[in-house]
Amino acid sequence: MPERLPDQTPVWDLSSVISGLQAERERWRTSHCRSIESGGREFPAPPAVHAAIKGIVAALFPMRLGPDTLRKEAEDYFVGSTLSCALGVLYEQARLELGGRSAATDPRAPALREAEAARQAETIIHGFAAALPAIRRLLDSDVEAAYRGDPAATSVDEILLCYPGVAAVIHHRVAHDLFLRGIPLVARIITEIAHSETGIDIHPGATVGESFFIDHGTGVVIGATAVIGRNVRLYQNVTLGAKRLVKGDGSMVDHDTPRHPIVEDDVVIYAGATILGRVTIGAGSVIGGNVWLTHSIPPGSQITQAQSQAGPEA
Amino acid sequence: MPERLPDQTPVWDLSSVISGLQAERERWRTSHCRSIESGGREFPAPPAVHAAIKGIVAALFPMRLGPDTLRKEAEDYFVGSTLSCALGVLYEQARLELGGRSAATDPRAPALREAEAARQAETIIHGFAAALPAIRRLLDSDVEAAYRGDPAATSVDEILLCYPGVAAVIHHRVAHDLFLRGIPLVARIITEIAHSETGIDIHPGATVGESFFIDHGTGVVIGATAVIGRNVRLYQNVTLGAKRLVKGDGSMVDHDTPRHPIVEDDVVIYAGATILGRVTIGAGSVIGGNVWLTHSIPPGSQITQAQSQAGPEA
Amino acid sequence: MPERLPDQTPVWDLSSVISGLQAERERWRTSHCRSIESGGREFPAPPAVHAAIKGIVAALFPMRLGPDTLRKEAEDYFVGSTLSCALGVLYEQARLELGGRSAATDPRAPALREAEAARQAETIIHGFAAALPAIRRLLDSDVEAAYRGDPAATSVDEILLCYPGVAAVIHHRVAHDLFLRGIPLVARIITEIAHSETGIDIHPGATVGESFFIDHGTGVVIGATAVIGRNVRLYQNVTLGAKRLVKGDGSMVDHDTPRHPIVEDDVVIYAGATILGRVTIGAGSVIGGNVWLTHSIPPGSQITQAQSQAGPEA
Amino acid sequence: MPERLPDQTPVWDLSSVISGLQAERERWRTSHCRSIESGGREFPAPPAVHAAIKGIVAALFPMRLGPDTLRKEAEDYFVGSTLSCALGVLYEQARLELGGRSAATDPRAPALREAEAARQAETIIHGFAAALPAIRRLLDSDVEAAYRGDPAATSVDEILLCYPGVAAVIHHRVAHDLFLRGIPLVARIITEIAHSETGIDIHPGATVGESFFIDHGTGVVIGATAVIGRNVRLYQNVTLGAKRLVKGDGSMVDHDTPRHPIVEDDVVIYAGATILGRVTIGAGSVIGGNVWLTHSIPPGSQITQAQSQAGPEA
Amino acid sequence: MPERLPDQTPVWDLSSVISGLQAERERWRTSHCRSIESGGREFPAPPAVHAAIKGIVAALFPMRLGPDTLRKEAEDYFVGSTLSCALGVLYEQARLELGGRSAATDPRAPALREAEAARQAETIIHGFAAALPAIRRLLDSDVEAAYRGDPAATSVDEILLCYPGVAAVIHHRVAHDLFLRGIPLVARIITEIAHSETGIDIHPGATVGESFFIDHGTGVVIGATAVIGRNVRLYQNVTLGAKRLVKGDGSMVDHDTPRHPIVEDDVVIYAGATILGRVTIGAGSVIGGNVWLTHSIPPGSQITQAQSQAGPEA
Amino acid sequence: MPERLPDQTPVWDLSSVISGLQAERERWRTSHCRSIESGGREFPAPPAVHAAIKGIVAALFPMRLGPDTLRKEAEDYFVGSTLSCALGVLYEQARLELGGRSAATDPRAPALREAEAARQAETIIHGFAAALPAIRRLLDSDVEAAYRGDPAATSVDEILLCYPGVAAVIHHRVAHDLFLRGIPLVARIITEIAHSETGIDIHPGATVGESFFIDHGTGVVIGATAVIGRNVRLYQNVTLGAKRLVKGDGSMVDHDTPRHPIVEDDVVIYAGATILGRVTIGAGSVIGGNVWLTHSIPPGSQITQAQSQAGPEA
């Protein structure tokens, strides 16, 4: 007769696992020259950024993406209350990002660095808050573009409620503004939230013109230095990527070297197309599905799969 | 010595941001002829639809997708309790969709329109509830198809617990029923919930026969007018899309114009294949990976990448 | 004047829906020879596995993926407290998986089977706990590989906070360990959690060497018998799949038949490439975007789309 | 060897318990002439009222009883957003109370009764909203009275954060306003929330003047027809109750018959005192601890335990 | 200039606090002869009991104390689903109580003791489930008694929604049934939940007849061996307590020695009355407020404060 | 036909309510000389203190008051992890209390005051953490006293799980330590949490010796300057209060003037007894139920109700 019954869960050797994990952390920290023995969080926290961006999205479109009990007459109160909270959280996350970064490079005393980080964070969030109306205006152009671009859409409202491409662009436009103001890590966390929810991966550094629409969207990748004009439409699995990441001398390219495509106004890129390198897709061009393109094309081009593989020099 | 310490978060100029956002909303509403000054929600709310569909999924497969404390002898009670709640929520969302839609087109007094929307919503949910056993039967055929189709599957139970393709099909079959009954927006919210969770984007309008299986599934897109026969199997990144959205006269096609493929019984379509337009894939055909296909093919065809690019007219 | 107002929600005919669903469940159980009339859960529960894996991830990287209030001096306490809880949950899920499996095949009395399942589950979780430090070490190599492989990355910390490829690999390495120890269903639930969050679908059976990096990642599929060497880099939409699932005699291949690629050390595979079958990609090879490859290639190969379609015999 | 292990929870005979409970509900409904076969909630729901009153309390004292992230510059937005939500909930609960009540007495068609209930609920909530500033002013007088009355208090802020007597009075003043406007059941639910949290039981019908303070408070009971003047102070376990509930003819007194004490301005009543019946405690009187009093006393009286038992006629 | 800013929270000396607390726990365990080095919970868990009792309360009165979305036509499903869950939790808690108790006294092997505890727990919960309809019937008599006894009550529904005395009695009747069946610790946890919410402290051992009503209730204490007849009414701060706890030889009385009052049918006891010892309050008696009574009184007595202090022998 | 249906909730005049409430807040702030226009919280937040105290309680008694999944081998990890979090929260609340207090009195610049508050808060929490083992030891003596004092108790474990008196004393001993260290507002919030849950109101300033037991407890009030010896036992509704709060010259007594009783070792005070003023209850005395006592009594006294009313001078 066994003494221990199945419901008596066994005892794990926790202390050896814990010390094993501690040794691994120690090894990592030593090899990355991190000697901090104690203290709190040094990076932005994804859950905090998540709360902030969801608040900002709701403040941008209160009646459609806010709480379902919201009433029109209370819109402004909701917007103010929600923004006050979300901006406060963003400010804290900006301080964490700036403080963590400066700790690695700024030889001044911690107190001075912290004060500097706080001042910068304040400037960033002030600027961001003031930019929100312009961001909303851009997003309205995106929603209208989506409505015009999809015959299956039955109303502009459906677009906001259901289209993952629009959700990804809302997150991108907010993140891009924060990226330009100097908190790229917070910005990246925001776009990764959208990536996880929609399968659309737009680097916050990418520049995107008004009336942008991504249909279906899963698998879309847009790189950090891509530049997209006005009234551009993409479908699922489109990549606007880099051709090479290694320079002639074998070293990695710098992270702000222009290496992703420029897509001019009024271009349509169908599903699965891959465009790589600092090439220019001329205005009004149409890129067919699954096309593989690594050279520039003039305005008004119509590229199909066969053409693309031959290349312009063929 | 600075007077303000880092932990004293700064004051944002909320009122100007709020009025800026208000002005943008006003501009949008004016340009879309929406003059409503006050009132509550006019569209279905995604979180409410989310709660309802999760309840329905649990009621369809109580022991495997219901709560882990559920016991077999309480199955019917759980199903009844869960459905009562979920159907009530769906009914409310149906009223919101029907009421919002009629407000734009129905010249009758609000009270009459509301009463009409309520009556329609009741009819829809009644019909949907009665269809649930048949939906479950179809889903059982899908689960068995998945089990037969994947050598990595070790049990039918694993299919329901782990396969995103099966999760997407459960959401689709429920949404398609609601789509046909007249609440396409609620239906679309349901399929987008599955899209976000699985990367599989099936428009609720698509018609899908029994024993349908999608393996892996990320990046699959199936359009609104697609028709899929029995015993069809798809892999990741397959697109069943539309070829063109603009008619000869430059206007957009109507949203119910048949423009997506017909896939007959017993077809297999491998990863990355793209099939566009109102073409017919004959019964028993096999479409190879990455194939690009824009014409019909007869039953029993075996299409590989090289063939597909030449096309029948070559 | 209608007697029922819109807010009086109608009455659904619950009993007929419930009995209809009950009949469908009965039909299913009869056809699958399940005669159990009562009792509790027989399979692992995805929400429980979710809680466990999130705890394990936080214990592996406490300061970066743990709660934002965690402080360095409390790391070990957090790790111990979190692991104690997570291992207990995993043990229960392991018992459910082992118990459910043995019920189908083991002719002994339930009590003996249960005791046996408990003993096995204990052995599995003991082994898994002891392996955690080594898993952490492997993951550190992955983080460093990601940092070296992406010029857009600004710090190793950004990698852990933002890169879905790293998140997917963390889940995979934990799941793979559990898969090898004999609880493939729990393992699969873990990788599907990552699949849903990242769009990256790595079967827990796949063998992956150190310093593995997946960039962007949406749409990546790696099959159950794939073997990946050290220092391999993949991009979005890469498939390492099986060529055929049906043997010459028409029967399905066995689920552990080697049928997915072997990728040797230092290989890079660009976006959209599809490699099918038990082929070997020689060390140091570079596979171009959208390449379709179904044969082995020697070390140091550079494959582009045109080549791949012709094949080596061309 | 037992076949069932301890962790296999037994099967309960649910169906007989359920039918037994159903029979008891049926018996009750029959004996109370309730024949409703189906439908939704007919009474206010305590959890909904709880959410509403907590919102109203936070809106009354935003910086001290609102969320800890609230900032002064966002006060008005918080108040507007919170009130919009809370008033909406209160309106629904008012409709439920009025509708349920009229169903029992109003012979008109349900639709007319519902419309009437909605109209009344709207009037009530409008009036209540307009009264909130005056309620806040009264509550400020209570806070100041508490501060003056307790030497242990170190600041007016401590009063709002810590004093159960003040919490009970906040709930009472809100509930009393709603009671007077015609929704006594909602009002009673509010005062019972305070009763549960503080041990202080003030009937919402009681009339209470400004600058009212209850110290400690557990066990205080104030009846429905009590009238309390300005600047009155009570301690724990004070009862202002009714002497008799049965009239000379043996029937119960009517629920609005004045039967509780009148306490004039500037009275202090120490712990454990019991005052019963429609007696008047003259202005400025001091009632000692544990006093038992069932007759009126003139202004300026000082009653101790010995006196009270003798009574004025002694 | 200080190096550490206010927002850099200091480091606590956790390890010495932890070892200090560990030493105290060790001291306690040694002094109470508890040598267990590892393992899980040995006592019922108040949060689990809380969840179970709230489910049982909702199942007893589904439309009034259940969720506000519940509809009449789904009552039985809700009851079945809720009870299945609540009984399962209670069974686990019963096993914990019985197992923990037997560990201290039963010399058999743990496995045998556990199996015995499981068998007993099953018997207890079976019996309890079967008793629920009778408990509901008793509670209906209490609700009616409350309605008859309080002129301020406007409907029987108000009683269930608002009266703490009724809430306390619901918890007591459930707890008393479990107490009699042999799990007094679970029973006590249930009555303490009610005590915390209502201020009414009824020991689960007390025997209470039908149609019992406690008005206001804060401060009521009813001891473990009290016996209360039918149609008894109490007010706040009534104590039915024990006179002495120490026997003539200086030892403590046994915990089941009858030492609390017997209150016969139709007795009313007003606020603040204290009745101590194994005395009998004859049927139909009325005990006045604040009365202190330590001797038996015959049926039909009317006791006021003056009388009680003198006592019958005066 | 009415244009508005019942479900169209009406529009409230939010802006006038908001400005009305704003005006009232303004009036209050002006009259209390608070001119702050913007900024964050200035007082401790009850929900934060609630989280901290619940963590500390769980860390003091991990296996009995901690989470039910806790296992003995993980106790220290749980204690460390929980304390790290709880002490961090307490430290923040201490800073808020000290900062808010100094803002009113300290003429230095805000930055200096904040830095000073942070330093003091650190000292306080350091000292408190170091005191936790001694607090636990005292609490063990209380648990044993409760077990010895109540014949209804069946085990020491039942005491911790079920006795509100013990819960109140745990909160008090923690709060008293913090009170003595200089954060009385945080301390008071802690005791009010216990007051709300148990009905027992012990001011955090009260000094309480070891082996203290309160049975039942509802309505107990113990004042700020009370001093209680070792091995004292109280029952419900006992008041240890102040006799007068107004000095001869009409001014209020100072808040630290000794004005509550001194209760020496081994005293028992039965239910409802009221002891007022700076009197001394000699060691070993027994105070009967409902006794009213305002003078000192020598050691070994036995006071019953009749005696107490006469007083010593009689």
Side-chain angles (χ1 to χ4, degrees), chain C:
Chain C
M1 190 74 192
E3 261 318 84
R4 209 179 70 232
L5 284 177
D7 67 308
Q8 294 176 289
T9 58
V11 179
W12 319 113
D13 184 8
L14 285 176
S15 64
S16 79
V17 180
I18 290 163
S19 63
L21 286 168
Q22 187 188 49
E24 291 300 326
R25 292 199 303 271
E26 201 48 47
R27 192 185 48 71
W28 166 270
R29 284 169 188 161
T30 304
S31 73
H32 288 77
C33 302
R34 305 205 171 173
S35 57
I36 303 165
E37 292 299 311
S38 66
R41 188 163 194 90
E42 293 164 343
F43 324 106
V49 176
H50 189 276
I53 182 66
K54 294 310 175 195
I56 287 163
V57 168
L60 284 166
F61 296 96
M63 285 309 290
R64 286 173 291 181
L65 302 180
D68 38 319
T69 54
L70 182 60
R71 297 174 57 75
K72 274 215 187 60
E73 65 270 24
E75 270 187 326
D76 281 351
Y77 304 117
F78 170 77
V79 169
S81 179
T82 303
L83 277 186
S84 170
C85 199
L87 294 175
V89 173
L90 266 191
Y91 167 77
E92 284 307 318
Q93 301 305 310
R95 276 179 64 200
L96 283 168
E97 174 169 352
L98 296 166
R101 207 189 303 154
S102 68
T105 58
D106 183 338
R108 286 181 297 174
L112 281 175
R113 291 199 316 253
E114 282 290 322
E116 174 66 19
R119 261 188 291 270
Q120 288 180 21
E122 179 172 351
T123 303
I124 286 170
I125 304 305
H126 259 305
F128 169 69
L132 281 171
I135 290 175
R136 160 77 200 235
R137 183 182 283 251
L138 271 175
L139 289 170
D140 283 344
S141 76
D142 300 324
V143 170
E144 295 196 64
Y147 183 58
R148 287 192 313 265
D150 183 4
T154 55
S155 73
V156 280
D157 307 310
E158 182 185 353
I159 303 291
L160 267 167
L161 295 178
C162 300
Y163 277 56
V166 169
V169 174
I170 296 174
H171 286 72
H172 172 72
R173 294 207 185 278
V174 169
H176 182 61
D177 186 274
L178 296 170
F179 180 90
L180 293 181
R181 292 180 196 281
I183 45 172
L185 190 43
V186 167
R188 181 71 186 266
I189 293 172
I190 290 172
T191 55
E192 279 304 325
I193 288 166
H195 185 190
S196 177
E197 290 171 0
T198 66
I200 298 171
D201 179 357
I202 313 178
H203 194 282
T207 303
V208 178
E210 68 181 45
S211 300
F212 181 53
F213 175 44
I214 302 173
D215 202 3
H216 308 300
T218 308
V220 163
V221 174
I222 299 175
T225 66
V227 178
I228 295 175
R230 290 185 295 180
N231 202 31
V232 169
R233 194 170 359 131
L234 306 186
Y235 289 82
Q236 68 271 21
N237 279 322
V238 164
T239 295
L240 303 180
K243 201 152 54 178
R244 65 171 62 89
L245 307 173
V246 183
K247 289 189 285 192
D249 63 356
S251 69
M252 203 70 147
V253 300
D254 204 60
H255 78 267
D256 53 2
T257 304
R259 60 191 182 282
H260 301 97
I262 295 168
V263 178
E264 294 183 349
D265 297 352
D266 305 308
V267 167
V268 179
I269 308 179
Y270 284 104
T274 303
I275 306 176
L276 301 180
R278 191 52 162 195
V279 301
T280 296
I281 307 302
S285 296
V286 176
I287 311 297
N290 281 13
V291 159
W292 176 266
L293 197 62
T294 58
H295 56 264
S296 294
I297 56 171
S301 305
Q302 301 246 357
I303 308 294
T304 63
Q305 205 174 16
Q307 290 169 299
S308 75
Q309 285 166 344
E313 67 276 16

Side-chain angles (χ1 to χ4, degrees), chain A residues 1-295:
Chain A
M1 189 78 194
E3 262 319 85
R4 209 179 69 232
L5 285 176
D7 67 306
Q8 293 177 287
T9 57
V11 179
W12 319 115
D13 183 8
L14 284 176
S15 63
S16 78
V17 180
I18 290 164
S19 62
L21 286 169
Q22 187 187 50
E24 291 300 325
R25 292 199 305 270
E26 201 47 47
R27 191 186 49 70
W28 167 269
R29 285 171 188 161
T30 303
S31 72
H32 289 77
C33 303
R34 306 205 172 172
S35 56
I36 303 164
E37 292 299 313
S38 67
R41 188 163 194 90
E42 293 164 343
F43 324 106
V49 176
H50 189 277
I53 182 66
K54 294 309 174 195
I56 287 163
V57 167
L60 284 166
F61 296 96
M63 285 309 290
R64 286 174 291 182
L65 302 181
D68 39 320
T69 54
L70 182 61
R71 298 174 57 76
K72 276 216 185 61
E73 65 270 24
E75 270 187 325
D76 281 351
Y77 303 117
F78 170 77
V79 169
S81 179
T82 303
L83 277 186
S84 170
C85 199
L87 294 175
V89 173
L90 266 191
Y91 167 77
E92 284 308 319
Q93 301 306 308
R95 277 181 63 201
L96 283 168
E97 175 169 353
L98 296 166
R101 207 188 304 154
S102 68
T105 58
D106 183 338
R108 285 180 298 175
L112 281 176
R113 290 200 316 254
E114 282 290 321
E116 175 65 19
R119 260 188 291 270
Q120 286 180 25
E122 178 173 352
T123 303
I124 286 170
I125 304 304
H126 260 305
F128 168 69
L132 280 171
I135 289 174
R136 160 78 200 234
R137 182 184 284 252
L138 270 175
L139 289 170
D140 284 344
S141 78
D142 299 324
V143 170
E144 294 197 64
Y147 183 58
R148 286 193 314 267
D150 183 3
T154 56
S155 74
V156 280
D157 306 310
E158 183 185 351
I159 303 292
L160 267 167
L161 294 177
C162 299
Y163 277 56
V166 169
V169 174
I170 296 174
H171 286 74
H172 172 72
R173 294 207 185 277
V174 169
H176 182 60
D177 186 275
L178 295 169
F179 180 90
L180 293 181
R181 291 180 197 281
I183 45 172
L185 190 43
V186 168
R188 181 70 186 266
I189 294 171
I190 291 172
T191 56
E192 279 304 325
I193 289 167
H195 186 190
S196 176
E197 291 170 359
T198 66
I200 298 171
D201 179 356
I202 313 178
H203 194 282
T207 303
V208 179
E210 69 181 44
S211 300
F212 181 54
F213 175 45
I214 302 173
D215 202 3
H216 308 300
T218 308
V220 163
V221 175
I222 299 175
T225 66
V227 178
I228 295 175
R230 290 184 295 178
N231 202 30
V232 169
R233 192 168 3 128
L234 307 185
Y235 289 82
Q236 68 270 23
N237 279 323
V238 163
T239 294
L240 303 179
K243 202 153 53 178
R244 66 170 61 89
L245 305 175
V246 184
K247 288 191 285 192
D249 62 356
S251 69
M252 202 70 146
V253 300
D254 203 59
H255 77 268
D256 53 3
T257 304
R259 60 194 183 280
H260 301 97
I262 296 168
V263 178
E264 294 184 349
D265 297 352
D266 304 310
V267 168
V268 179
I269 307 178
Y270 284 103
T274 303
I275 306 175
L276 302 180
R278 191 54 161 191
V279 301
T280 297
I281 307 302
S285 295
V286 176
I287 311 298
N290 280 11
V291 158
W292 176 267
L293 196 62
T294 58
H295 55 265

Side-chain angles (χ1 to χ4, degrees), chain B residues 289-310:
Chain B
N290 280 12
V291 159
W292 175 266
L293 196 63
T294 58
H295 55 266
S296 294
I297 56 171
S301 304
Q302 301 246 357
I303 308 296
T304 63
Q305 206 174 14
Q307 288 170 302
S308 74
Q309 285 167 342

Side-chain angles (χ1 to χ4, degrees), chain D residues 72 75-76 122 151 197 218, chain F residues 4 22 29 39 195-196 255:
Chain D
K72 275 217 185 60
E75 270 187 326
D76 282 351
E122 179 172 352
E197 291 171 359
T218 308
Chain F
R4 207 178 71 233
Q22 188 187 49
R29 285 172 187 160
H195 185 190
S196 176
H255 77 269

Side-chain angles (χ1 to χ4, degrees), chain E residues 167-179:
Chain E
V169 174
I170 296 174
H171 286 73
H172 172 73
R173 293 207 185 276
V174 169
H176 182 59
D177 186 274
L178 296 169
F179 180 91

